[in-house]
Amino acid sequence: MRVADTLKLIATPLLLAGFWQLIFAALGASLLTAAMIGTCQTNFTQRQAAYGWGTMVLALLYAGLAVHFAMLAEV
């Protein structure tokens, strides 16, 4: 839980910096994806499956944003 929260604290300023440099937004979204994958694993093993599926949707959303921002940064 502390690792996920640390990743989220690092990702937030990176997402804000993404307004000026898109590569920072891609890095921030990648960190959020990693945090959500850990959260998915915890929710699937410790809680009901409904919680795991909800976090998996968010993880896929963050992964899509990371790819989108990375593609825009290369242009």
Side-chain angles (χ1 to χ4, degrees):
M1 188 167 83
R2 291 182 185 174
V3 173
D5 290 339
T6 303
L7 288 175
K8 291 174 189 175
L9 284 173
I10 294 169
T12 302
L14 287 172
L15 288 172
L16 290 173
F19 284 111
W20 294 276
Q21 295 290 325
L22 287 176
I23 193 67
F24 293 129
L27 290 172
S30 297
L31 286 175
L32 284 175
T33 302
M36 290 308 291
I37 288 172
T39 305
C40 285
Q41 189 271 335
T42 301
N43 283 339
F44 275 124
T45 58
Q46 304 294 322
R47 299 176 84 182
Q48 297 175 356
Y51 293 104
W53 290 111
T55 54
M56 185 171 290
V57 168
L58 290 174
L60 291 173
L61 174 70
Y62 293 142
L65 286 174
V67 170
H68 175 71
F69 288 135
M71 290 174 58
L72 285 177
E74 289 183 16
V75 171

